[in-house]
Amino acid sequence: MSAARSLKTPDELQAAGLVAPEGLDAIRSVAEHYTIAITPTVVSLIDRSDATDPIALQFVPDAAELVTTPEEREDPIGDAAHSPVKGIVHRYPDRVLLKAVHICPVYCRFCFRREMVGPQGDGTLAPDELATALAYIGDHPEIWEVILTGGDPLVLSPRRLAEIMRGLAAIEHVKIVRFHTRVPVVEPDRINEALIAALKESSKTVYVALHANHPREMTVEARAASARLVDAGFAMVSQTVLLKGINDDPAVLGDLMKAFVETRIKPYYLHHPDLAPGTSHFRMDIEEGQKIVSALRGNISGLCQPTYVLDIPGGHGKAVISANAVRGDGGCYSVSDFRGGEHRYPPE
């Protein structure tokens, strides 16, 4: 098996030393339900000597994925309830998701769209479906921002990306185009001149939201790929999922946020894990998450603070769930500092 190929089957994972022979049957059962792909870049980051390696836990399938809890659901954040045409999710007034593709270079084991992505998923929009999606955007002047997600939109060819950008360029009321991607981390060589040129096929302001969950993902190559995007004029923000056993430690999470800022990426959202099937082993209580996020405040720069959010199940949108530092009414408040101390405001 060539080292240049992504690993996509349980047998390939075993041959690469990522799955033990005695666990192969369980992993084959997982593969019957959920897609597998691990790029050579990600494989090179995995420490095979560490059974709790945070990179492996994100991408190597686990028998725990066969366990579905009662609260989990196939569409945990309610995309379908807000999809007026194929490929569009219009949940918030001024922005839409444009899901042009449902393929990813890697498949996260905690993915909230795991029922929709991969070769067995919702696929890539056909030309007529993309035209219908763009027409919907054009018919709704309240849409200020278009967010390309899926799937990972940067797996599309530069030609396809350029076509989408030209289509959006023709819609005057769209001012912002945002791409959600893991590509700079998991396949950094894909961020090349052709891709950058495709993203410039309009006069829109372009943001790139990079998904990474552990500081070891922010390699020299990932930082260089991100620098190519920033130097081309694209603003970058981050997205991270708070995951048990991977980044549920203030020091680890803080190092990741610092790595983003050092790479000129503004920390944006820290997501509480969604209720996707077979992902309960990644989730913690919201109270635990609040303690971790509170520990960041005051201990690392304000530039490094993400917003801790929960996507409310059923399609009701995001809620900020950071711990409330202010309590009281009538103009008198108790304020908590980052060390846990309580202070009266205004002072007596």
Side-chain angles (χ1 to χ4, degrees), residues 16-304:
L18 298 178
V19 171
E22 60 270 21
L24 190 57
D25 286 343
I27 300 308
R28 285 175 175 152
S29 295
V30 173
E32 291 175 3
H33 293 86
Y34 307 116
T35 303
I36 299 167
I38 311 177
T39 62
T41 295
V42 172
V43 171
S44 71
L45 295 178
I46 294 174
D47 181 357
R48 291 166 176 77
S49 68
D50 182 1
T52 61
D53 177 68
I55 308 301
L57 291 176
Q58 292 186 64
F59 302 108
V60 177
D62 188 285
E65 295 175 53
L66 300 172
V67 178
T68 301
T69 59
E71 70 274 12
E72 293 175 344
R73 51 188 70 188
E74 292 184 1
D75 183 12
I77 69 169
D79 279 355
H82 298 278
S83 184
V85 300
K86 187 173 181 180
I88 292 287
V89 178
H90 196 173
R91 195 187 326 270
Y92 301 101
D94 74 336
R95 56 206 182 274
V96 295
L97 304 183
L98 173 56
K99 298 194 290 185
V101 63
H102 284 83
I103 304 297
C104 299
V106 293
Y107 293 97
C108 305
R109 309 322 304 169
F110 49 86
C111 178
F112 68 96
R113 291 196 180 110
R114 61 193 330 217
E115 300 282 354
M116 309 172 194
V117 298
Q120 85 291 351
D122 290 349
T124 301
L125 291 185
D128 61 325
E129 293 169 336
L130 178 60
T132 299
L134 291 173
Y136 177 89
I137 296 169
D139 289 341
H140 288 76
E142 72 273 21
I143 297 174
W144 174 79
E145 180 183 23
V146 174
I147 303 166
L148 279 103
T149 182
D152 193 317
L154 296 192
V155 303
L156 292 169
S157 70
R159 179 185 62 82
R160 291 294 305 278
L161 286 169
E163 288 175 356
I164 292 171
M165 293 303 286
R166 285 194 293 269
L168 293 172
I171 304 174
E172 196 276 334
H173 56 264
V174 171
K175 305 298 183 183
I176 309 294
V177 181
R178 192 198 321 172
F179 290 85
H180 285 190
T181 185
R182 261 193 178 281
V183 165
V185 164
V186 304
E187 208 171 6
D189 289 346
R190 188 180 281 271
I191 307 299
N192 55 28
E193 291 183 6
L195 183 144
I196 288 170
L199 299 189
K200 288 191 166 187
E201 281 284 329
S202 81
S203 59
K204 309 299 184 185
T205 298
V206 173
Y207 277 74
V208 177
L210 176 66
H211 178 180
N213 298 315
H214 193 275
R216 276 175 43 208
E217 295 176 61
M218 297 302 292
T219 61
V220 170
E221 294 78 11
R223 294 179 187 228
S226 299
R228 291 194 288 275
L229 290 166
V230 175
D231 290 344
F234 307 132
M236 290 191 72
V237 297
S238 75
Q239 290 205 112
T240 295
V241 183
L242 187 59
L243 299 164
K244 184 184 292 186
I246 294 171
N247 57 19
D248 57 336
D249 179 302
V252 172
L253 199 60
D255 285 346
L256 175 61
M257 297 302 138
K258 287 179 178 179
F260 286 142
V261 172
E262 291 164 8
T263 313
R264 295 177 287 170
I265 299 170
K266 178 67 181 79
Y268 182 37
Y269 278 150
L270 176 65
H271 294 269
H272 193 78
D274 295 308
L275 298 175
T279 64
S280 61
H281 54 297
F282 288 112
R283 291 196 298 275
M284 66 200 76
D285 292 336
I286 285 176
E287 290 83 0
E288 294 177 78
Q290 289 174 328
K291 290 177 182 176
I292 293 167
V293 173
S294 294
L296 297 181
R297 177 64 62 184
N299 288 307
I300 61 175
S301 167
L303 291 173
C304 301

Side-chain angles (χ1 to χ4, degrees), residues 3-24:
R5 292 180 60 243
S6 292
L7 305 180
K8 296 185 177 181
T9 69
D11 289 333
E12 290 176 343
L13 294 177
Q14 190 208 338
L18 298 178
V19 171
E22 60 270 21
L24 190 57

